[in-house]
Amino acid sequence: MTYSPQTQEAVSLLRRLIATPSVSRDEGAAADLIFQFLKEKDAHPQRLGNNVWALSEPFDPARPTILLNAHIDTVKPVSGWQRDPFTPVLEGDRLYGLGSNDCGGGVVSLLEVFIAPLPFLPTGGESQHTNLVFLASAEEEVSGGKGIESVRDRLPRIDFAIVGEPTGMQPAVAEKGLMVVDAVAHGQAGHAARNEGVNAIDIAVADILRLRDLQWTVSPLLGPVKTTVTIISAGTQHNVIPDSCQFTIDVRSNECYTNEQIFERLCHELQSELKARSFRLSSSSIPTEHPFVQRCIARGMKPFGSPTLSDQALMPWPSLKLGPGDSSRSHTADEYILLSEIDAAIRLYTDLLSAPFTP
């Protein structure tokens, strides 16, 4: 199938990104690639660390401003790859390679829309009606402090953001937050052969079972809060009652609670000593009445809630996730994206952004 020059350019850039390893906190070469691409397009890119952004021109602070964001970092390759994860391989409509789906397809699709000026002119072409800001962010996969958080204050006022995560080009109007809680159950050491001591494992097990029984308000889009114990460690030798048991709780919050509220309840319900690593990655949502969401609905798109976290959690402005690809392919062996998905994304982004935007 023959695609538009825009799509062909996007795919060419994506192939170069796949061939440029950019595991989180080591995205420098990929940032160089994006920066140079924008520079060649006379887009006057700016950079801080491994984050690269550019403003549409002419930029008028009086106009509404939409941020187009996608991340350039990837996870480490998982075992099971049947291909070299850093060698782009095209088989039919499928382009294989690490980061192709998460989130390379979103990066190149949004970038192509950003550098194309004509669709953003109102009828008659008198003047641009909406400012665009393109941001390729780093450290998204690890929610690192040198990613989008480090550049938020350097951006102009943002009225709305599109996050190009793989959603099958359906609008994710809510996403679950994340909080990691480290727990320690305290017991008392003793000899395993005698009826003495307090086994910290028993305390931890009781708390873990309590986690399974907790009832949370159910979000129509995101379901209930999800608490999952993912790591556990205790004991030093077989004949000693352990006096401590450490376990880690992965908390996926919905928009009905802040992470602080969830933590407070866990502290009340569990016997173990708890410590949250951070409260900063809360659930986020945007009302379906928002003008851009309504614009999506009018085109037959279906809003949904996403269980996965993104840079959206660190955005103080209204936003939604909307990008090519399928979230189920992310972080998997032989990750791929379809060229047809990139082509459709560019066309749909262009259509959605061509009309005047009112925050």
Side-chain angles (χ1 to χ4, degrees), residues 9 44 84 87 133 174 270 301 346:
E9 184 175 58
H44 306 290
D84 179 354
T87 298
V133 177
L270 306 185
M301 302 161 70
I346 292 172

Side-chain angles (χ1 to χ4, degrees), residues 197-209:
V198 178
N199 196 326
I201 294 177
D202 291 340
I203 298 172
V205 168
D207 279 348
I208 293 169
L209 292 175

Side-chain angles (χ1 to χ4, degrees), residues 37-98:
F37 181 87
L38 285 165
K39 187 175 180 181
E40 291 172 358
K41 299 294 183 178
D42 295 322
H44 306 290
Q46 302 177 61
R47 179 172 179 173
L48 179 65
N50 294 330
N51 304 280
V52 178
W53 69 97
L55 280 58
S56 59
E57 296 182 351
F59 191 93
D60 183 351
R63 301 187 192 117
T65 300
I66 296 177
L67 174 68
L68 309 179
N69 165 247
H71 65 90
I72 57 172
D73 61 315
T74 72
V75 296
K76 294 179 181 179
V78 298
S79 61
W81 274 83
Q82 300 300 305
R83 303 164 176 81
D84 179 354
F86 301 110
T87 298
V89 175
L90 184 61
E91 296 181 5
D93 194 33
R94 293 187 178 188
L95 177 60
Y96 289 92
L98 182 64

Side-chain angles (χ1 to χ4, degrees), residues 29-309:
D32 291 342
L33 193 58
I34 297 295
F35 187 93
Q36 185 60 34
F37 181 87
L38 285 165
K39 187 175 180 181
E40 291 172 358
K41 299 294 183 178
D42 295 322
H44 306 290
Q46 302 177 61
R47 179 172 179 173
L48 179 65
N50 294 330
N51 304 280
V52 178
W53 69 97
L55 280 58
S56 59
E57 296 182 351
F59 191 93
D60 183 351
R63 301 187 192 117
T65 300
I66 296 177
L67 174 68
L68 309 179
N69 165 247
H71 65 90
I72 57 172
D73 61 315
T74 72
V75 296
K76 294 179 181 179
V78 298
S79 61
W81 274 83
Q82 300 300 305
R83 303 164 176 81
D84 179 354
F86 301 110
T87 298
V89 175
L90 184 61
E91 296 181 5
D93 194 33
R94 293 187 178 188
L95 177 60
Y96 289 92
L98 182 64
S100 57
N101 181 77
D102 184 17
C103 180
V107 171
V108 298
S109 298
L110 288 172
L111 189 49
E112 281 298 324
V113 174
F114 173 78
I115 62 175
L118 290 181
F120 307 103
L121 301 180
T123 303
E126 306 90 4
S127 62
Q128 182 175 307
H129 57 66
T130 305
N131 298 316
L132 294 181
V133 177
F134 173 82
L135 169 63
S137 51
E139 296 194 3
E140 187 273 347
E141 295 288 4
V142 293
S143 301
K146 293 183 179 179
I148 192 170
E149 272 186 310
S150 67
V151 299
R152 282 183 314 200
D153 293 342
R154 294 173 177 256
L155 302 177
R157 184 202 76 248
I158 302 296
D159 296 293
F160 175 71
I162 298 173
V163 182
E165 292 283 329
T167 67
M169 288 307 286
Q170 299 297 325
V173 296
E175 72 169 16
K176 282 196 168 181
L178 169 65
M179 176 174 60
V180 180
V181 177
D182 294 310
V184 181
H186 296 286
Q188 182 179 342
H191 198 296
R194 295 190 292 270
N195 188 22
E196 62 184 27
V198 178
N199 196 326
I201 294 177
D202 291 340
I203 298 172
V205 168
D207 279 348
I208 293 169
L209 292 175
R210 178 62 182 146
L211 282 173
R212 292 170 57 183
D213 293 335
L214 290 180
Q215 299 296 310
W216 302 93
T217 299
V218 177
S219 160
L221 287 169
L222 298 174
V225 172
K226 190 172 186 296
T227 56
T228 307
V229 174
T230 54
I231 303 172
I232 190 166
S233 175
T236 57
Q237 57 191 67
H238 77 89
N239 58 352
V240 177
I241 299 295
D243 60 2
S244 70
C245 179
Q246 297 82 36
F247 58 100
T248 302
I249 310 169
D250 179 286
V251 180
R252 301 290 168 156
S253 53
N254 62 24
E255 78 278 17
C256 303
Y257 304 89
T258 65
N259 284 338
E260 290 87 346
Q261 290 171 329
I262 295 172
F263 182 74
E264 183 179 354
R265 183 178 179 195
L266 293 180
C267 288
H268 176 74
E269 298 279 358
L270 306 185
Q271 300 178 67
S272 300
E273 178 186 355
L274 305 182
K275 183 178 181 180
R277 296 183 188 178
S278 170
F279 296 114
R280 59 197 264 272
L281 302 174
S282 293
S283 174
S284 60
S285 63
I286 185 172
T288 55
E289 295 78 21
H290 187 278
F292 199 90
V293 179
Q294 287 296 307
R295 188 176 295 181
C296 292
I297 293 173
R299 286 160 174 77
M301 302 161 70
K302 297 181 179 180
F304 73 102
S306 170
T308 58
L309 188 77

